[in-house]
Amino acid sequence: MPPAAPAGVRARGWGWRHAGRKAFAVSGLDLDIAPGERVLLLGASGAGKSTLLHALAGVLGAAEEGEEHGELTVDGVPAPSARGRAGLVLQDPESQIAMARVGDEVAFGCENLAVPRDEIWPRVHRALADVGLDLPLDRPTAALSGGQKQRLALAGILAMEPGLVLLDEPTANLDPEGVEEVREAVQRSLDRTGATLVVVEHRVSVWSGLVDRVVVLGAGGGLLADGPPERVLADAGVRRRLAAAGVWVPGWHPLTGEEPAKPLRPANGGGELHGGSLLRAEGLAVGRSPKLPPVVGGIDLALREGHATSVTGPNGAGKSTLALTLAGLLPAVGGRLTALPPLALGASSSPHRWRSSELVSRIGTVFQEPEHQFLTPRVLDELEFGPRRVAKLSEKDVRRIVDGLLERLRLERLAGANPFTLSGGEKRRLSVATMLATSPRILVLDEPTFGQDALTWAELVRLLADLLAQGTALLAVTHDEDFTTALSDTVYRVDGGRAARVEAAA
């Protein structure tokens, strides 16, 4: 069965407004993408990049879920009528995994496209090898890490060999080696099939060598830039406009412009008034269940006031499991995890034994998947939820905290929106804000900069630097080297079942 012919895309005055939102996510879009073109789609967080990809895949929803203007076609027919021509990897890959086992998940799309049976499993094996996912076909998908699920979702799309490949932040949760593997996998697939590509990624340098065109959505509608990467990214005026719009322009750092990046963390770990230990791990072993072998052991570390620690390592090594254990959300499966008196304040020395009311002002956790911590139908309610459960906070205090976070993290216009309708970057900022709202002594963050444009990345990093200066302890699971350089004074690498301190950040 030969690969599907490459698809063409056409938009004329196209726009979409999500139900319940005043502003259009995308508006006034005029765009033509020729069959076989490879396009990098850029724009500020919330500019509508994910909305456009969903529309091209025909999965935006029925008329009651939003309002559409203009025309958007794939191969000359309305995008919803061309379902099956496009394969979409969502920004949150977990939301598109449907099957219980790895092999069945990769085969699922092929089966729905009626690919001959004797061709499906060779495609499955090739796609898994292409994305560097060396796992048994019967491995449970629920047991995979976030990064592994991202690769699995991509493998499922590549196995389908669609005419239009749509990728929404496909490398955001991957380790550096995984980024290279995924980009090369996409290139091999495109070279073999000739498919059209539209990829959304904030980090331009990851894809600039593979694509032949860069398209930048304007936050207020229309296009900010459109052309070959070498022309769009080389023009000084265009570079400044893109940087001002939040695009990660190669050679331009959001904190320093064209100057080399420098640490933003406070000197001496928050000053002379801070630095005491709050949480200590000694020979700690962590796992998802005490009944199973630990995934990481022999962990010795301390989280101190005004100090930031980064946890790095390959996908699936156990970084998130370690973070959840330090946050008191999973029990230790070996060794000791001790909350010291300045953190425990009379409660148990074991964070896992704390009630939610005790945990909320001591340790705040930002999950890898933002949706896992949303509890209410409005952004405003989500931010108020934690502070209203902290004793001795007046209504005036709650309003001051919430209004300040809405402004600082650029969420004011979304205060009345449903958290689940936000863009990926907006969801991440909201998930961070909900934890900041209760002023915890320790903040544990799992991939905190995922999906952020350069402007919101810089604002988030500055906010965390302020928290360090005030004495908050930070622990971040991250593949973001810029984040580590800016904030972390200690780095641990998790790999091969161990966690070792590898260096002090430069």
Side-chain angles (χ1 to χ4, degrees), residues 422-433:
L422 305 186
S423 73
E426 290 164 346
K427 287 176 182 175
R428 169 53 76 213
R429 297 204 301 281
L430 176 59
S431 67
V432 172

Side-chain angles (χ1 to χ4, degrees), residues 195-274:
T196 307
L197 170 71
V198 182
V199 56
V200 169
E201 190 81 68
H202 284 292
R203 307 270 179 161
V204 176
S205 59
V206 173
W207 295 95
S208 58
L210 183 148
V211 301
D212 43 42
R213 184 178 174 191
V214 172
V215 172
V216 187
L217 295 184
L223 297 181
L224 186 64
D226 184 2
E230 61 273 14
R231 177 167 62 80
V232 171
L233 300 176
D235 183 278
V238 173
R239 284 170 60 85
R240 284 194 294 271
R241 291 204 308 274
L242 295 181
V247 175
W248 283 90
V249 178
W252 186 287
H253 195 277
L255 294 175
T256 58
E258 294 184 344
E259 298 295 323
K262 298 177 181 178
L264 194 64
R265 58 186 179 271
N268 300 320
E272 295 180 0
L273 296 179
H274 305 301

Side-chain angles (χ1 to χ4, degrees), residues 61-84:
E64 64 270 14
E65 296 183 55
E67 176 185 352
E68 185 176 24
H69 286 174
E71 174 186 283
L72 183 68
T73 64
V74 176
D75 288 337
V77 301
S81 301
R83 290 187 187 131

